[in-house]
Amino acid sequence: MKALRYPAWDVLDIAEVDEPVLAAGEVILDVAAVGICGSELEAVAHRSPRRTPPLVMGHEFCGEVIAAAPDVVEVKVGDRVVANSLIPCGRCADCRRGSTHLCHERGIFGMNRPGAFAERVAVPARVLLPLPERVSPLQGALVEPLANGVHVWSRLSAKFPETVVVIGCGTIGLLALQVARAGGALRLVAVDTSDARLQMAHAVGAEPLFNPARDAVVAEICAFTRGRGADVVIDAVGAPATRRMAVEAARPGGEVVWIGTHGDVTELSGRDVVLGERRISGSYSTTFSDMETAVALFAHGRIDIEPWTRPFPLDEGARVFRQLLDAPPAEYAKAILLP
């Protein structure tokens, strides 16, 4: 079968690879659509040890079941399904208390097992969810990143927050904005260094828009909120500067969620956190419940992907991947491959 391979450091190509092998508890999916994730771009750009070639990546995908092991009862041949990117062990303390996304023994598609940048992929049936007919393959490929946005929202205690700020308008940021709107946010503010990305955020409901290259973002947010600061700030970038900005833009008693991972060590004002009782939470990946909510949001028409996504045939995968690495386009934020 055909696949987009990562055969060696800095190398991407389209090639014939072996068909997936059907194991106990697993199914074979005919992949309908698979998204190129920013984490995969970062992995190739920085030779991440978490994704060591040779490898077929791809963890945001949906498809149709074309074969199932005899012991599989969750799904059947012909079912349209979407997969969680994580495969929890189901036995550890984290799994037993429902935090399957924190499982230390978890498998991850396109990291420690073959991913879905291919015509077909083997998947444990227990990580699959049904995909309603009214959810398109393009939407199906975005269920997993949308579920990340849902998980961010689950970390918050605020109900109907007046002002939610999202820093970083890539895929996760654009989806987090829309989850916030669906979750009761009254005003959405977008922050990004790209005016093109800011216009994508505007297309899904954000107003006002701030660019740190020319705007004093924290002062602007303070003025927009009548001197209070934002009720919720979501950092979908993860650089030290954006993490600091998130804390500074939050009102006293406000909440900050970090989901971006572009940087690590971050120096903050402890007094801003302590004296303002600002709460900082981390958000990582998704739970099964988050995935179900994401499917429902798509099924009920609450999420708009048209202004910022583009589909490409799998044959163009290496070219598109390289373009996203070398010169991210202004026309779209998310590339989705169609095997």
PDB file of all heavy atoms in Angstrom, residues 6 13 38 55 63 67 74 87 109-110 132 140 175 194 199-200 206 217 230 245 256 277 279 289 302 315 319 330:
ATOM      1  N   TYR A   6       8.495   8.623   6.816  1.00  0.00           N
ATOM      2  CA  TYR A   6       9.562   9.417   7.427  1.00  0.00           C
ATOM      3  C   TYR A   6      10.707   8.427   7.619  1.00  0.00           C
ATOM      4  O   TYR A   6      10.931   7.913   8.710  1.00  0.00           O
ATOM      5  CB  TYR A   6       9.044   9.983   8.748  1.00  0.00           C
ATOM      6  CG  TYR A   6       9.997  10.845   9.550  1.00  0.00           C
ATOM      7  CD1 TYR A   6      10.974  11.647   8.959  1.00  0.00           C
ATOM      8  CD2 TYR A   6       9.885  10.867  10.945  1.00  0.00           C
ATOM      9  CE1 TYR A   6      11.805  12.438   9.724  1.00  0.00           C
ATOM     10  CE2 TYR A   6      10.715  11.650  11.726  1.00  0.00           C
ATOM     11  CZ  TYR A   6      11.670  12.436  11.113  1.00  0.00           C
ATOM     12  OH  TYR A   6      12.505  13.214  11.879  1.00  0.00           O
ATOM     13  N   ASP A  13       8.961  10.920   2.081  1.00  0.00           N
ATOM     14  CA  ASP A  13       8.678  10.468   0.726  1.00  0.00           C
ATOM     15  C   ASP A  13       7.386   9.655   0.691  1.00  0.00           C
ATOM     16  O   ASP A  13       6.878   9.219   1.713  1.00  0.00           O
ATOM     17  CB  ASP A  13       9.848   9.669   0.134  1.00  0.00           C
ATOM     18  CG  ASP A  13      10.143   8.370   0.875  1.00  0.00           C
ATOM     19  OD1 ASP A  13       9.260   7.873   1.615  1.00  0.00           O
ATOM     20  OD2 ASP A  13      11.249   7.824   0.707  1.00  0.00           O
ATOM     21  N   GLY A  38       0.796  19.875  13.988  1.00  0.00           N
ATOM     22  CA  GLY A  38       1.960  20.705  14.268  1.00  0.00           C
ATOM     23  C   GLY A  38       3.029  19.973  15.043  1.00  0.00           C
ATOM     24  O   GLY A  38       4.231  20.249  14.880  1.00  0.00           O
ATOM     25  N   LEU A  55       9.597   5.678  10.182  1.00  0.00           N
ATOM     26  CA  LEU A  55       8.291   5.779  10.816  1.00  0.00           C
ATOM     27  C   LEU A  55       7.254   6.247   9.801  1.00  0.00           C
ATOM     28  O   LEU A  55       7.572   7.011   8.884  1.00  0.00           O
ATOM     29  CB  LEU A  55       8.376   6.804  11.958  1.00  0.00           C
ATOM     30  CG  LEU A  55       7.213   6.967  12.913  1.00  0.00           C
ATOM     31  CD1 LEU A  55       6.968   5.681  13.695  1.00  0.00           C
ATOM     32  CD2 LEU A  55       7.499   8.124  13.876  1.00  0.00           C
ATOM     33  N   GLY A  63     -11.827   6.746   9.298  1.00  0.00           N
ATOM     34  CA  GLY A  63     -11.882   5.824   8.178  1.00  0.00           C
ATOM     35  C   GLY A  63     -13.007   4.827   8.318  1.00  0.00           C
ATOM     36  O   GLY A  63     -13.903   4.973   9.160  1.00  0.00           O
ATOM     37  N   ALA A  67     -11.681  -4.754   7.974  1.00  0.00           N
ATOM     38  CA  ALA A  67     -11.406  -6.092   8.521  1.00  0.00           C
ATOM     39  C   ALA A  67     -11.356  -5.978  10.029  1.00  0.00           C
ATOM     40  O   ALA A  67     -10.949  -4.947  10.579  1.00  0.00           O
ATOM     41  CB  ALA A  67     -10.090  -6.651   7.990  1.00  0.00           C
ATOM     42  N   GLU A  74     -16.667  -4.341  19.429  1.00  0.00           N
ATOM     43  CA  GLU A  74     -17.021  -2.921  19.516  1.00  0.00           C
ATOM     44  C   GLU A  74     -17.504  -2.354  18.180  1.00  0.00           C
ATOM     45  O   GLU A  74     -18.355  -1.459  18.146  1.00  0.00           O
ATOM     46  CB  GLU A  74     -15.821  -2.091  20.004  1.00  0.00           C
ATOM     47  CG  GLU A  74     -15.369  -2.427  21.411  1.00  0.00           C
ATOM     48  CD  GLU A  74     -14.291  -3.505  21.429  1.00  0.00           C
ATOM     49  OE1 GLU A  74     -14.156  -4.252  20.424  1.00  0.00           O
ATOM     50  OE2 GLU A  74     -13.578  -3.581  22.439  1.00  0.00           O
ATOM     51  N   ILE A  87      -3.406   5.173  22.926  1.00  0.00           N
ATOM     52  CA  ILE A  87      -3.856   3.818  23.237  1.00  0.00           C
ATOM     53  C   ILE A  87      -3.445   3.525  24.675  1.00  0.00           C
ATOM     54  O   ILE A  87      -2.313   3.123  24.950  1.00  0.00           O
ATOM     55  CB  ILE A  87      -3.228   2.798  22.275  1.00  0.00           C
ATOM     56  CG1 ILE A  87      -3.488   3.208  20.824  1.00  0.00           C
ATOM     57  CG2 ILE A  87      -3.782   1.398  22.541  1.00  0.00           C
ATOM     58  CD1 ILE A  87      -2.630   2.473  19.820  1.00  0.00           C
ATOM     59  N   PHE A 109      -0.205   6.573  18.015  1.00  0.00           N
ATOM     60  CA  PHE A 109      -0.063   6.371  16.576  1.00  0.00           C
ATOM     61  C   PHE A 109       0.980   7.333  16.012  1.00  0.00           C
ATOM     62  O   PHE A 109       1.048   8.498  16.385  1.00  0.00           O
ATOM     63  CB  PHE A 109      -1.405   6.604  15.870  1.00  0.00           C
ATOM     64  CG  PHE A 109      -2.424   5.550  16.137  1.00  0.00           C
ATOM     65  CD1 PHE A 109      -3.443   5.762  17.057  1.00  0.00           C
ATOM     66  CD2 PHE A 109      -2.369   4.327  15.494  1.00  0.00           C
ATOM     67  CE1 PHE A 109      -4.383   4.787  17.323  1.00  0.00           C
ATOM     68  CE2 PHE A 109      -3.302   3.340  15.754  1.00  0.00           C
ATOM     69  CZ  PHE A 109      -4.312   3.574  16.664  1.00  0.00           C
ATOM     70  N   GLY A 110       1.792   6.798  15.104  1.00  0.00           N
ATOM     71  CA  GLY A 110       2.799   7.633  14.467  1.00  0.00           C
ATOM     72  C   GLY A 110       3.958   7.995  15.356  1.00  0.00           C
ATOM     73  O   GLY A 110       4.766   8.864  15.028  1.00  0.00           O
ATOM     74  N   PRO A 132     -20.837   9.657  12.869  1.00  0.00           N
ATOM     75  CA  PRO A 132     -22.141   9.800  12.215  1.00  0.00           C
ATOM     76  C   PRO A 132     -21.997  10.188  10.744  1.00  0.00           C
ATOM     77  O   PRO A 132     -21.017  10.839  10.351  1.00  0.00           O
ATOM     78  CB  PRO A 132     -22.814  10.923  13.009  1.00  0.00           C
ATOM     79  CG  PRO A 132     -22.091  10.975  14.310  1.00  0.00           C
ATOM     80  CD  PRO A 132     -20.686  10.570  14.015  1.00  0.00           C
ATOM     81  N   GLY A 140     -13.944  14.478  10.420  1.00  0.00           N
ATOM     82  CA  GLY A 140     -13.481  13.319  11.181  1.00  0.00           C
ATOM     83  C   GLY A 140     -12.003  13.373  11.489  1.00  0.00           C
ATOM     84  O   GLY A 140     -11.563  12.978  12.581  1.00  0.00           O
ATOM     85  N   LEU A 175      -9.676  25.961  17.016  1.00  0.00           N
ATOM     86  CA  LEU A 175     -10.693  25.066  17.581  1.00  0.00           C
ATOM     87  C   LEU A 175     -11.035  25.460  19.013  1.00  0.00           C
ATOM     88  O   LEU A 175     -12.204  25.405  19.419  1.00  0.00           O
ATOM     89  CB  LEU A 175     -10.217  23.624  17.508  1.00  0.00           C
ATOM     90  CG  LEU A 175     -10.133  23.049  16.082  1.00  0.00           C
ATOM     91  CD1 LEU A 175      -9.438  21.692  16.088  1.00  0.00           C
ATOM     92  CD2 LEU A 175     -11.518  22.940  15.452  1.00  0.00           C
ATOM     93  N   SER A 194       0.626  36.427  13.172  1.00  0.00           N
ATOM     94  CA  SER A 194       0.277  36.363  11.747  1.00  0.00           C
ATOM     95  C   SER A 194      -1.089  37.000  11.523  1.00  0.00           C
ATOM     96  O   SER A 194      -2.091  36.556  12.082  1.00  0.00           O
ATOM     97  CB  SER A 194       0.250  34.906  11.271  1.00  0.00           C
ATOM     98  OG  SER A 194      -0.424  34.790  10.031  1.00  0.00           O
ATOM     99  N   GLN A 199      -7.120  36.674  10.788  1.00  0.00           N
ATOM    100  CA  GLN A 199      -8.330  36.741   9.974  1.00  0.00           C
ATOM    101  C   GLN A 199      -9.087  35.419   9.996  1.00  0.00           C
ATOM    102  O   GLN A 199     -10.314  35.392   9.943  1.00  0.00           O
ATOM    103  CB  GLN A 199      -7.980  37.154   8.549  1.00  0.00           C
ATOM    104  CG  GLN A 199      -7.564  38.604   8.419  1.00  0.00           C
ATOM    105  CD  GLN A 199      -8.581  39.554   9.044  1.00  0.00           C
ATOM    106  OE1 GLN A 199      -9.777  39.489   8.766  1.00  0.00           O
ATOM    107  NE2 GLN A 199      -8.109  40.448   9.906  1.00  0.00           N
ATOM    108  N   MET A 200      -8.364  34.305  10.082  1.00  0.00           N
ATOM    109  CA  MET A 200      -9.033  33.011  10.245  1.00  0.00           C
ATOM    110  C   MET A 200      -9.776  32.971  11.568  1.00  0.00           C
ATOM    111  O   MET A 200     -10.906  32.459  11.654  1.00  0.00           O
ATOM    112  CB  MET A 200      -8.000  31.880  10.174  1.00  0.00           C
ATOM    113  CG  MET A 200      -7.306  31.733   8.835  1.00  0.00           C
ATOM    114  SD  MET A 200      -5.982  30.486   8.902  1.00  0.00           S
ATOM    115  CE  MET A 200      -5.053  30.911   7.431  1.00  0.00           C
ATOM    116  N   ALA A 206     -13.855  35.514  16.471  1.00  0.00           N
ATOM    117  CA  ALA A 206     -13.026  36.317  17.380  1.00  0.00           C
ATOM    118  C   ALA A 206     -13.047  37.794  16.998  1.00  0.00           C
ATOM    119  O   ALA A 206     -12.937  38.142  15.825  1.00  0.00           O
ATOM    120  CB  ALA A 206     -11.591  35.807  17.376  1.00  0.00           C
ATOM    121  N   VAL A 217      -0.256  43.924  23.692  1.00  0.00           N
ATOM    122  CA  VAL A 217      -1.388  43.015  23.846  1.00  0.00           C
ATOM    123  C   VAL A 217      -2.010  43.070  25.235  1.00  0.00           C
ATOM    124  O   VAL A 217      -3.231  43.176  25.378  1.00  0.00           O
ATOM    125  CB  VAL A 217      -0.960  41.567  23.486  1.00  0.00           C
ATOM    126  CG1 VAL A 217      -2.085  40.588  23.813  1.00  0.00           C
ATOM    127  CG2 VAL A 217      -0.581  41.473  22.017  1.00  0.00           C
ATOM    128  N   ALA A 230      -8.770  39.477  31.318  1.00  0.00           N
ATOM    129  CA  ALA A 230      -9.625  38.421  30.785  1.00  0.00           C
ATOM    130  C   ALA A 230      -9.992  37.405  31.853  1.00  0.00           C
ATOM    131  O   ALA A 230      -9.209  37.118  32.760  1.00  0.00           O
ATOM    132  CB  ALA A 230      -8.913  37.720  29.622  1.00  0.00           C
ATOM    133  N   MET A 245       2.556  36.249  28.903  1.00  0.00           N
ATOM    134  CA  MET A 245       1.465  37.091  28.419  1.00  0.00           C
ATOM    135  C   MET A 245       0.120  36.574  28.907  1.00  0.00           C
ATOM    136  O   MET A 245      -0.753  37.348  29.310  1.00  0.00           O
ATOM    137  CB  MET A 245       1.471  37.130  26.884  1.00  0.00           C
ATOM    138  CG  MET A 245       0.402  38.019  26.263  1.00  0.00           C
ATOM    139  SD  MET A 245       0.322  37.804  24.457  1.00  0.00           S
ATOM    140  CE  MET A 245       1.937  38.419  23.979  1.00  0.00           C
ATOM    141  N   VAL A 256      -5.927  30.474  33.603  1.00  0.00           N
ATOM    142  CA  VAL A 256      -5.011  30.344  32.471  1.00  0.00           C
ATOM    143  C   VAL A 256      -4.817  28.862  32.183  1.00  0.00           C
ATOM    144  O   VAL A 256      -4.608  28.066  33.107  1.00  0.00           O
ATOM    145  CB  VAL A 256      -3.641  30.997  32.785  1.00  0.00           C
ATOM    146  CG1 VAL A 256      -2.652  30.762  31.649  1.00  0.00           C
ATOM    147  CG2 VAL A 256      -3.812  32.489  33.071  1.00  0.00           C
ATOM    148  N   GLU A 277      -4.321  35.567  42.749  1.00  0.00           N
ATOM    149  CA  GLU A 277      -4.995  34.258  42.782  1.00  0.00           C
ATOM    150  C   GLU A 277      -5.370  33.776  41.389  1.00  0.00           C
ATOM    151  O   GLU A 277      -6.476  33.294  41.141  1.00  0.00           O
ATOM    152  CB  GLU A 277      -6.234  34.302  43.694  1.00  0.00           C
ATOM    153  CG  GLU A 277      -5.885  34.318  45.156  1.00  0.00           C
ATOM    154  CD  GLU A 277      -7.061  33.985  46.057  1.00  0.00           C
ATOM    155  OE1 GLU A 277      -8.215  34.023  45.586  1.00  0.00           O
ATOM    156  OE2 GLU A 277      -6.819  33.686  47.241  1.00  0.00           O
ATOM    157  N   ARG A 279      -5.152  31.134  38.466  1.00  0.00           N
ATOM    158  CA  ARG A 279      -4.955  29.686  38.440  1.00  0.00           C
ATOM    159  C   ARG A 279      -4.418  29.261  37.080  1.00  0.00           C
ATOM    160  O   ARG A 279      -4.994  29.591  36.048  1.00  0.00           O
ATOM    161  CB  ARG A 279      -6.273  28.955  38.712  1.00  0.00           C
ATOM    162  CG  ARG A 279      -6.064  27.473  38.987  1.00  0.00           C
ATOM    163  CD  ARG A 279      -7.363  26.788  39.316  1.00  0.00           C
ATOM    164  NE  ARG A 279      -8.134  26.490  38.108  1.00  0.00           N
ATOM    165  CZ  ARG A 279      -9.293  25.847  38.108  1.00  0.00           C
ATOM    166  NH1 ARG A 279      -9.843  25.476  39.251  1.00  0.00           N
ATOM    167  NH2 ARG A 279      -9.933  25.594  37.001  1.00  0.00           N
ATOM    168  N   SER A 289     -14.205  10.765  26.669  1.00  0.00           N
ATOM    169  CA  SER A 289     -15.343  11.680  26.792  1.00  0.00           C
ATOM    170  C   SER A 289     -15.140  12.931  25.942  1.00  0.00           C
ATOM    171  O   SER A 289     -16.077  13.429  25.306  1.00  0.00           O
ATOM    172  CB  SER A 289     -15.553  12.064  28.254  1.00  0.00           C
ATOM    173  OG  SER A 289     -16.572  13.018  28.394  1.00  0.00           O
ATOM    174  N   ARG A 302     -21.587  22.928  15.186  1.00  0.00           N
ATOM    175  CA  ARG A 302     -21.081  24.004  16.046  1.00  0.00           C
ATOM    176  C   ARG A 302     -19.661  24.436  15.706  1.00  0.00           C
ATOM    177  O   ARG A 302     -19.164  25.406  16.289  1.00  0.00           O
ATOM    178  CB  ARG A 302     -21.142  23.560  17.518  1.00  0.00           C
ATOM    179  CG  ARG A 302     -22.518  23.115  17.981  1.00  0.00           C
ATOM    180  CD  ARG A 302     -23.545  24.237  17.877  1.00  0.00           C
ATOM    181  NE  ARG A 302     -23.262  25.319  18.785  1.00  0.00           N
ATOM    182  CZ  ARG A 302     -23.679  25.349  20.050  1.00  0.00           C
ATOM    183  NH1 ARG A 302     -24.412  24.349  20.533  1.00  0.00           N
ATOM    184  NH2 ARG A 302     -23.396  26.375  20.820  1.00  0.00           N
ATOM    185  N   ASP A 315      -0.774  11.497  -2.260  1.00  0.00           N
ATOM    186  CA  ASP A 315       0.369  11.581  -3.171  1.00  0.00           C
ATOM    187  C   ASP A 315       1.136  12.890  -3.013  1.00  0.00           C
ATOM    188  O   ASP A 315       2.326  12.956  -3.323  1.00  0.00           O
ATOM    189  CB  ASP A 315      -0.091  11.452  -4.622  1.00  0.00           C
ATOM    190  CG  ASP A 315      -0.415  10.015  -4.996  1.00  0.00           C
ATOM    191  OD1 ASP A 315       0.021   9.102  -4.265  1.00  0.00           O
ATOM    192  OD2 ASP A 315      -1.114   9.802  -6.007  1.00  0.00           O
ATOM    193  N   ARG A 319       5.234  16.809  -0.355  1.00  0.00           N
ATOM    194  CA  ARG A 319       5.362  18.202  -0.782  1.00  0.00           C
ATOM    195  C   ARG A 319       4.662  19.138   0.190  1.00  0.00           C
ATOM    196  O   ARG A 319       5.221  20.172   0.590  1.00  0.00           O
ATOM    197  CB  ARG A 319       4.763  18.376  -2.181  1.00  0.00           C
ATOM    198  CG  ARG A 319       4.828  19.829  -2.690  1.00  0.00           C
ATOM    199  CD  ARG A 319       4.002  20.033  -3.936  1.00  0.00           C
ATOM    200  NE  ARG A 319       2.583  19.864  -3.715  1.00  0.00           N
ATOM    201  CZ  ARG A 319       1.798  20.800  -3.164  1.00  0.00           C
ATOM    202  NH1 ARG A 319       2.317  21.948  -2.740  1.00  0.00           N
ATOM    203  NH2 ARG A 319       0.509  20.591  -3.019  1.00  0.00           N
ATOM    204  N   ALA A 330      -0.319  31.368   3.879  1.00  0.00           N
ATOM    205  CA  ALA A 330      -1.257  32.308   4.485  1.00  0.00           C
ATOM    206  C   ALA A 330      -2.702  31.904   4.224  1.00  0.00           C
ATOM    207  O   ALA A 330      -3.613  32.395   4.901  1.00  0.00           O
ATOM    208  CB  ALA A 330      -1.003  33.711   3.920  1.00  0.00           C
TER     209      ALA A 330
END
